[in-house]
Amino acid sequence: MSFYGNEFFIGWVLFCWLLGTSLGSILGSKLSRDPPRAFRSLAICHVLIAILFPMTIVLIRSGKPILGTSAGAMPEFILSLLYSLAVLVPLCGVMGMQFAVAARGQVCQMPEGGAARAVGWAYLWECLGFIAGGIVFSFVLVFANEFRVAAIFAALNLATACGIFHVFLKKMKRILRLLVLTAVFFPAGLFMNSAFLQQQTSQWRFPNETLVRTENTVHGNVSVTRLGSQYNFYQSGLLLGADREDFASEYLVHFPMLAHPAPRKVLLLGTGFNGPLQQILKHSPQEVRAVELDPELVKITRGFLPEDLQATLRDPRARLGATDPRNFLTKEGGKFDVIIANFPNPASVLINRNYTEQFFRSVRSHLSDGGVFATHIAFAANTLTPELERLGSSVYATLTQVFPSVKVLPEDTLFFLASAENASSWDPQEMMDRLSERKIKTDFVTANQIRYRLTNDRVERVETAFRNAIWKTKNTDLRPRTCYFEFLRWLSQFDPGITKAFFFLATLPFPAMLATSLFAILGFIAFSREPQKGMRKLALVSMGTAGFSLMAFEIVVIYLFQAAFGDLYYRLAWVITAFMAGMGAGTWAAQGLPKIPERFGLAGLHLMNAVFFFLLIKVCVRIFSTGFSLGEAYQFVFLGMAFWGGLVAGAVFPLANRFYLGRGEGDRL
């Protein structure tokens, strides 16, 4: 929410998490050679987590002023990666250290020869903690003040540290007394000052603006800021617009409305409360359906709008709804004369699903005879860079797959007008006549401006570039090319060299990359003259492959889930909880079957993983095929896939651990 992260940044956060936990595990294993040091280190980890958690929240929210990023903008690429790495690794490192020393403490309580089993049980308990945290966050803490959540976690961790000292380190009474006082006063102080900390740190996310209101909803965070006399609205860090957007609203609305001879029923998808809805009503339609994703967004922003825009929201012709636009089109059976999509650029898969072939086909099915559809992206007509050409040509190619007639209006914003009628001529004179006949008062879309926007030389030049573009590939739910091209466009603003590298990676054939990875793994195993070391390496490769597969599968399922259903921030915790539940179940199952030979067990699990990935590809091609409707029940299919992926990875850990500790001989230590 501070940086408005797309899937790349979500993946980077997961990378920081895993890097921190792995480094912490290495350090923890060195700090817990004997029982007293293990329990002392474990208590210190709990204390550090209690302190680092609220500090990490503060550092994340202070990222924009530290990096010099303006409100609503995405930060410079390399700096944002380094900053997030520096902020997240310390906390994640302590968590990784905590697991290592907790496992060592568990080993100390087990009889000789039970090391592998003790580590497995420690891993199981960690998975159970993840499951509990995911459930509590999904249904309770997602709405709470983050610093109150931090206070609760601080109390739990400090109380646990006190318990460890009381049971295992009884001689350190002075430290125990100090810990008890800290466990009482630190969480209490954090909780009592949570409102102030929430307001102050949230303000840092909007440099040079005054934060008026911020609130968490099931779809993210909604914030209202003031800049002079103007109010600005943000959703999860993304600027939605100001309290009045007359210029953008006129261009968004009047071209598609004037392209239709008599628009009676109009559908507006996306932001409409700050001007677009008012401009639509100037054409005297009988009914306007306005669909926002977040039901709380209009409620929160309504009080900050000018009086005339508030009156527009009360107009009886305007029917406001709150649901996912794709879901609305699936359930809505009516037809519309004009459909206008007002979405941000497809910077994430969540937004990209409103620029895909499946979405456009759904839109066309809801257009009446002679109906018009309009959408847009940010652009720069005077400087058509390769990145902009790829982005625009992808949207253009996708639209032309669905609509026989598509018109582009390029300026700083590139508008697309599309119609299912082959005869659509987009005649500027007809639009000018309709503007006059309807007696519509406009400040920016005048008769002369209509003629200019439809006939200037940029129109033909951009259309020709899009038609002849090498990368005029259509955008689909399963292959979000437009989203990737938008990522490259954003990246090119900071470093063209990195942009070229990312584009080159996208052109590499997947089979070649897979074969290279397999040869690297085989070389790592084979490069050992001693059989026992080779077997140990095999155990490490087995666990590493399972971890890599799990993380890749987790990112893929998160992407597929939001591509299919949207609402990433609301239901992301569900997916991760399903993964952790599977890991817990897999660990428990493997712990309960100690007689299975490790080599055969690991081979079977990896074979099951390979078959599962193959079936996953087939299932995805089927469920994302054009015309296949996904019901809400399919959520459980994705959650089931997440559970299965975690199950296999969770079962690998105890077997690989026993294999490693047995020096490759299969001895069950």
Side-chain angles (χ1 to χ4, degrees):
M1 293 180 184
S2 292
F3 289 161
Y4 179 59
N6 52 23
E7 284 68 32
F8 178 84
F9 277 104
I10 292 174
W12 179 256
V13 168
L14 293 174
F15 166 77
C16 294
W17 170 34
L18 293 177
L19 177 64
T21 52
S22 61
L23 294 176
S25 297
I26 295 172
L27 180 60
S29 64
K30 297 182 181 297
L31 296 177
S32 55
R33 297 296 186 184
D34 54 75
R37 292 177 65 185
F39 290 116
R40 186 167 61 248
S41 298
L42 182 59
I44 292 173
C45 286
H46 282 289
V47 174
L48 288 175
I49 289 174
I51 298 171
L52 286 175
F53 187 25
M55 286 182 59
T56 302
I57 297 174
V58 171
L59 289 172
I60 289 174
R61 291 183 173 176
S62 60
K64 285 195 173 181
I66 290 176
L67 298 178
T69 306
S70 59
M74 295 183 73
E76 197 276 329
F77 182 67
I78 298 297
L79 287 179
S80 62
L81 296 186
L82 294 176
Y83 185 79
S84 56
L85 184 70
V87 169
L88 295 174
V89 164
L91 176 60
C92 297
V94 174
M95 291 180 176
M97 187 191 310
Q98 186 182 44
F99 172 76
V101 296
R104 176 71 68 175
Q106 182 77 5
V107 169
C108 294
Q109 306 300 308
M110 297 291 287
E112 186 176 352
R117 192 168 180 80
V119 173
W121 284 115
Y123 187 66
L124 174 60
W125 278 105
E126 184 184 47
C127 291
L128 293 176
F130 274 118
I131 296 168
I135 294 173
V136 173
F137 175 83
S138 298
F139 296 101
V140 180
L141 300 183
V142 68
F143 305 104
N145 179 314
E146 286 84 353
F147 287 97
R148 290 179 182 173
V149 175
I152 295 172
F153 287 163
L156 290 174
N157 278 278
L158 291 172
T160 303
C162 291
I164 293 171
F165 269 89
H166 177 71
V167 175
F168 299 104
L169 304 167
K170 295 182 179 180
K171 295 182 179 180
M172 300 181 178
K173 295 182 179 180
R174 184 174 299 177
I175 296 178
L176 177 58
R177 294 191 191 100
L178 180 61
L179 268 180
V180 171
L181 292 174
T182 305
V184 172
F185 290 104
F186 179 73
L190 190 60
F191 191 88
M192 288 187 294
N193 291 282
S194 59
F196 169 78
L197 291 171
Q198 179 82 341
Q199 177 69 21
Q200 187 62 43
T201 57
S202 296
Q203 171 65 69
W204 294 343
R205 295 165 50 211
F206 307 99
N208 303 320
E209 299 182 20
T210 302
L211 181 64
V212 178
R213 183 175 178 181
T214 183
E215 187 172 323
N216 291 335
T217 73
V218 295
H219 298 284
N221 173 267
V222 177
S223 297
V224 182
T225 67
R226 187 176 65 248
L227 184 62
S229 60
Q230 173 181 294
Y231 289 99
N232 296 320
F233 308 118
Y234 296 87
Q235 188 169 41
S236 299
L238 174 68
L239 177 64
L240 296 178
D243 53 359
R244 182 180 290 280
E245 294 277 358
D246 290 337
F247 179 82
S249 298
E250 286 194 15
Y251 277 100
L252 171 70
V253 168
H254 292 307
F255 281 99
M257 294 294 286
L258 292 171
H260 194 281
R264 292 291 175 258
K265 292 189 65 177
V266 181
L267 174 61
L268 174 61
L269 301 172
T271 306
F273 58 84
N274 58 345
L277 184 58
Q278 184 184 61
Q279 298 299 326
I280 291 174
L281 292 174
K282 289 181 179 181
H283 292 261
S284 302
Q286 295 176 352
E287 179 186 3
V288 181
R289 300 289 297 275
V291 179
E292 296 275 4
L293 173 63
D294 192 342
E296 299 300 318
L297 180 62
V298 176
K299 294 180 183 178
I300 294 171
T301 58
R302 184 190 293 264
F304 301 97
L305 295 173
E307 181 55 39
D308 60 323
L309 292 181
Q310 293 189 41
T312 298
L313 297 177
R314 297 190 295 267
D315 192 297
R317 294 171 295 173
R319 295 176 56 191
L320 306 181
T323 185
D324 179 77
R326 294 276 294 264
N327 188 44
F328 173 84
L329 291 173
T330 300
K331 295 180 178 180
E332 174 64 33
K335 299 276 188 177
F336 298 91
D337 299 314
V338 176
I339 298 178
I340 300 173
N342 187 23
F343 301 111
N345 267 34
S348 68
V349 176
L350 188 64
I351 304 175
N352 181 78
R353 62 199 301 269
N354 300 313
Y355 289 87
T356 63
E357 180 185 5
Q358 289 86 346
F359 174 73
F360 292 154
R361 290 194 182 280
S362 184
V363 166
R364 177 173 176 173
S365 68
H366 287 79
L367 282 175
S368 58
D369 294 339
V372 178
F373 170 63
T375 188
H376 63 91
I377 57 173
F379 202 65
N382 292 327
T383 309
L384 189 58
T385 64
E387 292 77 23
L388 277 177
E389 182 180 314
R390 295 187 196 111
L391 173 63
S393 63
S394 179
V395 178
Y396 183 80
T398 308
L399 279 168
T400 53
Q401 287 281 327
V402 179
F403 297 95
S405 180
V406 178
K407 185 71 173 179
V408 299
L409 304 179
E411 286 291 341
D412 291 339
T413 298
L414 174 60
F415 291 98
F416 296 90
L417 302 178
S419 174
E421 303 296 326
N422 283 306
S424 296
S425 61
W426 314 111
D427 184 4
Q429 188 59 51
E430 287 186 1
M431 292 188 186
M432 293 161 59
D433 292 342
R434 289 166 185 163
L435 180 68
S436 176
E437 291 168 2
R438 297 174 191 175
K439 299 179 181 180
I440 297 173
K441 182 181 178 181
T442 58
D443 295 319
F444 305 101
V445 180
T446 61
N448 290 334
Q449 186 66 11
I450 291 173
R451 183 182 299 279
Y452 170 76
R453 288 299 299 267
L454 286 164
T455 60
N456 70 75
D457 61 331
R458 296 186 185 93
V459 175
E460 182 61 30
R461 180 162 57 87
V462 171
E463 281 189 352
T464 302
F466 288 171
R467 284 195 297 266
N468 299 330
I470 298 175
W471 293 96
K472 54 182 180 182
T473 51
K474 67 179 182 179
N475 183 42
T476 65
D477 288 337
L478 196 56
R479 295 184 176 181
R481 293 183 175 92
T482 302
C483 177
Y484 190 70
F485 291 149
E486 167 62 16
F487 170 69
L488 294 179
R489 183 202 66 81
W490 167 75
L491 194 59
S492 66
Q493 301 175 67
F494 308 108
D495 195 323
I498 296 179
T499 305
K500 292 179 181 178
F502 270 94
F503 184 71
F504 173 74
L505 290 175
T507 61
L508 292 177
F510 180 75
M513 298 176 65
L514 181 62
T516 302
S517 302
L518 290 175
F519 279 118
I521 292 173
L522 292 174
F524 176 76
I525 298 172
F527 191 69
S528 179
R529 296 181 180 179
E530 299 181 24
Q532 288 186 351
K533 288 186 177 180
M535 291 299 179
R536 281 199 162 196
K537 285 185 177 181
L538 183 60
L540 293 175
V541 168
S542 176
M543 193 61 230
T545 302
F548 177 81
S549 300
L550 176 67
M551 185 52 58
F553 182 60
E554 188 171 354
I555 293 174
V556 168
V557 170
I558 288 173
Y559 151 65
L560 293 175
F561 192 88
Q562 65 170 322
F565 304 106
D567 303 347
L568 170 64
Y569 300 107
Y570 175 35
R571 293 184 275 199
L572 176 60
W574 295 8
V575 179
I576 296 178
T577 301
F579 272 110
M580 300 312 301
M583 291 180 68
T587 302
W588 176 80
Q591 285 286 96
L593 299 172
K595 295 183 179 180
I596 293 180
E598 288 84 1
R599 300 183 191 182
F600 295 109
L602 290 173
L605 288 171
H606 286 296
L607 180 61
M608 290 168 61
N609 232 359
V611 173
F612 178 64
F613 270 96
F614 175 78
L615 294 176
L616 175 65
I617 295 173
K618 295 293 185 182
V619 170
C620 289
V621 171
R622 168 61 179 160
I623 65 178
F624 283 98
S625 61
T626 302
F628 190 85
S629 178
L630 284 176
E632 289 296 310
Y634 272 87
Q635 295 181 44
F636 298 101
V637 174
F638 285 90
L639 295 177
M641 290 191 296
F643 181 86
W644 177 261
L647 180 75
V648 175
V652 166
F653 180 80
L655 293 176
N657 189 45
R658 296 206 305 256
F659 196 36
Y660 180 83
L661 293 177
R663 298 178 180 273
E665 299 298 328
D667 184 19
R668 298 172 186 83
L669 296 179

